[in-house]
Amino acid sequence: MLHSFFVILVVVQLSTTILSSCKKVVKNDFLIDKSLSTKVGDITANIKVDTLNFKECYGGQNISQYYAFNDKPYKNGKSHLKEYFVENLNQENFKSFNGLIRIRFIVNCKGETGRYRIHAMNWKYEKQELKIKQKSSIITCLNSYGDFKLLSNNEFPQNYYFYIILKIEEGLIQELLP
């Protein structure tokens, strides 16, 4: 019994030593790394790539994910957004592209979009670099769309994160997800 007590004491002492040597704090019984964003996937402003005229409402606090609301973010449905991209995206810029392009962005409380983060991959899920004119074409298309719904919480329109994925084969948009 005395042996068990010493084993427990050593384990507790080791745990305390290891935890105190980490750059983490204990809060609500969870370890929290202070260098991480408050939410998974926060898009922080970057003056090198973001337009300066896009502003989130309410100081950008508590930006929700689109699926946290009871409504869909498309005013006229997903098929309308796909048709819009097919008609307005300069697909000539993508004629040699085959794969998926994911665009994640913020829709503010006025329905404006900004802070685009664009990632592309081929059919083997390997990262692909897009040319500046390809990214610019996507951003221009989204900036002029203007048909995202104002999603509200307690009757006040909110900022929300949204994303779309373009499935492109031989330069043609085959599908728009989600």
Side-chain angles (χ1 to χ4, degrees):
M1 179 149 159
L2 188 58
H3 176 67
S4 296
F5 173 75
F6 283 114
V7 169
I8 292 171
L9 185 62
V10 169
V11 169
V12 169
Q13 184 62 37
L14 278 172
S15 298
T16 305
T17 303
I18 291 169
L19 288 175
S20 65
S21 67
C22 294
K23 291 183 179 181
K24 297 180 180 182
V25 296
V26 176
K27 181 179 178 184
N28 296 334
D29 297 322
F30 294 102
L31 291 177
I32 299 174
D33 185 336
K34 292 293 187 184
S35 68
L36 299 176
S37 297
T38 57
K39 294 180 186 172
V40 174
D42 280 349
I43 301 175
T44 55
N46 182 341
I47 59 171
K48 293 180 182 177
V49 296
D50 297 328
T51 58
L52 298 176
N53 60 348
F54 175 77
K55 300 285 184 219
E56 340 58 42
C57 304
Y58 319 114
Q61 299 297 314
N62 300 320
I63 301 174
S64 299
Q65 303 294 333
Y66 74 95
Y67 49 79
F69 299 92
N70 291 330
D71 205 357
K72 301 282 187 236
Y74 317 103
K75 283 184 184 176
N76 295 306
K78 184 172 107 173
S79 61
H80 179 265
L81 180 59
K82 180 186 174 195
E83 289 171 22
Y84 179 83
F85 262 91
V86 167
E87 292 172 8
N88 294 284
L89 184 68
N90 186 349
Q91 293 186 51
E92 184 67 25
N93 290 338
F94 298 89
K95 64 183 172 186
S96 62
F97 185 85
N98 288 294
L100 303 167
I101 300 174
R102 179 178 48 94
I103 309 108
R104 188 159 183 267
F105 53 95
I106 296 173
V107 179
N108 70 12
C109 69
K110 299 173 188 171
E112 302 164 335
T113 57
R115 287 208 198 150
Y116 305 102
R117 299 301 182 262
I118 302 172
H119 300 279
M121 65 184 92
N122 63 21
W123 299 124
K124 295 179 182 178
Y125 301 107
E126 298 166 329
K127 182 178 179 179
Q128 299 296 298
E129 291 298 325
L130 292 177
K131 296 174 185 158
I132 290 178
K133 66 181 180 179
Q134 291 171 317
K135 288 182 179 181
S136 178
S137 183
I138 291 168
I139 290 170
T140 298
C141 202
L142 277 169
N143 275 337
S144 61
Y145 179 61
D147 255 355
F148 289 103
K149 280 187 183 177
L150 301 181
L151 300 181
S152 61
N153 185 8
N154 297 328
E155 299 182 29
F156 293 103
Q158 299 294 306
N159 303 305
Y160 61 92
Y161 289 110
F162 191 59
Y163 77 95
I164 58 172
I165 298 173
L166 300 173
K167 180 180 175 182
I168 299 178
E169 289 183 38
E170 297 178 17
L172 300 175
I173 297 172
Q174 301 299 315
E175 194 170 352
L176 183 134
L177 305 166

